[in-house]
Amino acid sequence: MATYSVIIPVYNEALVIRETYRRLKTVLEQTGEPYELLFVNDGSTDRTLDILRELAVKDETVKYIDFSRNFGHQIAITAGMDYASGQAVIIIDADLQDPPELILDMIARWKEGYDVVYARRVKRKGETLFKRWTAYVFYRLLRAATEIDIPADAGDFRLIDRKVCNQLRYMRERNRFVRGLVSWVGFRHIAVEYEREPRLAGETKYPLKKMIRFSVDGITSFSHKPLKLASWLGFALSAASVVGMMAVLYLKWFTHSTVAGWASLLIVMLFCNGATMTMLGITGEYIGRIYDEVKERPLYIINETWGVGMRHERKPSYLP
């Protein structure tokens, strides 16, 4: 059994995957302990799978899981955790923005007794001002909106202990936000800081549309505050309408003035209708997640594997 399992989700990373393998191999060899490199191919349409096959034939530490189609980055991480055998499980993307060399620092903290060692970005090189600003806002909004302590400026690059991984494997929700789930289960956490590098090659797999979807998943998975906000907004609009009605009645009964201004009335109506639709949209997001859960479809479907055994079926520690 491996001491370290490195989970690498990949999607159309043919341009960089060999270099990712080389750098990970160099780092893990320095530990002097058994390890496995577990690549999860998330429905790539380029030569990623062919390269993984070549690497796996040449190196017994290389294992892979190939999905039947693209299921998403967070699901790929989940599949890796399902099949990882190591006592410490390390999650890292293949694009080399997160330096594999930091894994040695993570291992050192793990051996000090920490159960989760996450990487915190102190600088983001090669990213646009808009990207940096939206990332900054996202992490602060997430911390304010959710009811658990999710570290700011920390992605999925982290090391988790086997007992943490075992607990996560029994959390099968569909709209997954892995870094939030890791925070939710608790245990001892510590950060290691680093400067994030630009992508070595290829294109980002998280354009703006996916980032927005990911942000919504993070907030709705761990907080009811958006629903509460909708309720408070409805209450505020109702209170404002009562005040407006009283003002109109006062002008009619005690003054000779009349309420004029159809334009202002139209603006108020549009605002109220917009607020109503927003509240319905927020409610719909939560209902949609309930719908996804009750269908109980599998999180992913595997097309091909190499080197991985049957998924572990241990019970979490809180079950008899």
Side-chain angles (χ1 to χ4, degrees):
M1 181 179 292
T3 303
Y4 307 111
S5 293
V6 184
I7 299 171
I8 312 104
V10 290
Y11 176 63
N12 290 345
E13 297 288 4
L15 296 176
V16 72
I17 197 168
R18 292 185 188 277
E19 179 64 13
T20 302
Y21 160 75
R22 186 192 67 80
R23 286 179 61 178
L24 284 171
K25 186 82 175 173
T26 300
V27 170
L28 271 298
E29 286 292 330
Q30 295 178 48
T31 65
E33 298 176 89
Y35 65 90
E36 62 181 4
L37 303 178
L38 179 53
F39 292 87
V40 184
N41 183 37
D42 188 20
S44 297
T45 57
D46 61 1
R47 293 193 65 253
T48 295
L49 180 58
D50 293 333
I51 296 173
L52 290 178
R53 287 170 177 155
E54 294 173 12
L55 294 175
V57 169
K58 296 177 182 178
D59 186 349
E60 64 179 7
T61 66
V62 175
K63 305 176 181 181
Y64 67 79
I65 299 169
D66 177 46
F67 284 170
S68 62
R69 65 169 178 83
N70 179 259
F71 284 91
H73 180 262
Q74 300 294 288
I75 299 298
I77 292 175
T78 300
M81 291 190 293
D82 286 344
Y83 287 89
S85 63
Q87 295 305 301
V89 177
I90 301 154
I91 304 165
I92 185 171
D93 288 340
D95 56 17
L96 294 179
Q97 286 187 277
D98 301 324
E101 293 73 20
L102 195 65
I103 290 175
L104 296 177
D105 291 338
M106 291 180 170
I107 291 174
R109 299 296 182 273
W110 175 62
K111 290 186 174 181
E112 291 173 4
Y114 291 97
D115 302 306
V116 177
V117 186
Y118 60 89
R120 177 186 291 138
R121 305 157 186 154
V122 295
K123 190 174 182 180
R124 306 169 71 103
K125 299 178 181 179
E127 295 183 352
T128 64
L129 179 62
F130 177 76
K131 173 69 174 179
R132 294 196 300 270
W133 179 80
T134 52
Y136 177 88
V137 171
F138 164 67
Y139 285 110
R140 274 71 190 171
L141 179 61
L142 185 64
R143 286 178 66 89
T146 56
E147 290 145 5
I148 60 173
D149 185 18
I150 301 176
D153 303 317
D156 293 311
F157 183 27
R158 62 189 61 217
L159 178 152
I160 62 174
D161 186 80
R162 165 50 54 188
K163 61 186 176 185
V164 178
C165 185
N166 285 344
Q167 301 298 333
L168 292 172
R169 288 193 298 103
Y170 285 88
M171 303 169 73
R172 311 306 289 180
E173 55 204 67
R174 269 63 184 165
N175 298 284
R176 302 185 70 80
F177 187 66
V178 172
R179 67 196 71 169
L181 294 174
V182 173
S183 296
W184 187 88
V185 299
F187 300 103
R188 297 186 65 197
H189 292 232
I190 193 172
V192 292
E193 297 183 343
Y194 75 108
E195 294 185 3
R196 197 173 201 217
E197 298 292 334
R199 283 186 62 92
L200 181 66
E203 299 178 351
T204 178
K205 305 307 184 293
Y206 269 101
L208 181 60
K209 182 179 179 180
K210 283 190 175 181
M211 282 301 300
I212 293 174
R213 180 77 263 172
F214 189 54
S215 303
V216 172
D217 285 342
I219 293 172
T220 55
S221 295
F222 294 95
S223 177
H224 298 150
K225 288 184 180 180
L227 290 174
K228 295 177 182 177
L229 176 63
S231 299
W232 280 107
L233 181 59
F235 176 79
L237 289 174
S238 298
S241 66
V242 171
V243 172
M245 181 183 65
M246 294 176 64
V248 170
L249 292 176
Y250 175 82
L251 291 174
K252 178 176 179 63
W253 292 342
F254 299 102
T255 70
H256 297 291
S257 302
T258 58
V259 179
W262 289 104
S264 58
L265 179 61
L266 179 61
I267 290 172
V268 171
M269 290 178 62
L270 290 174
F271 173 76
C272 292
N273 288 336
T276 301
M277 296 303 295
T278 300
M279 289 184 281
L280 288 173
I282 292 173
T283 305
E285 285 290 338
Y286 284 90
I287 293 175
R289 278 156 175 72
I290 296 172
Y291 177 63
D292 285 341
E293 296 298 327
V294 299
K295 288 186 291 188
E296 296 186 348
R297 292 175 181 168
L299 295 182
Y300 53 85
I301 298 175
I302 293 176
N303 173 57
E304 176 185 335
T305 64
W306 180 282
V308 296
M310 295 296 292
R311 189 172 66 191
H312 302 283
E313 294 296 343
R314 302 171 184 167
K315 292 182 179 179
S317 59
Y318 54 81
L319 291 180

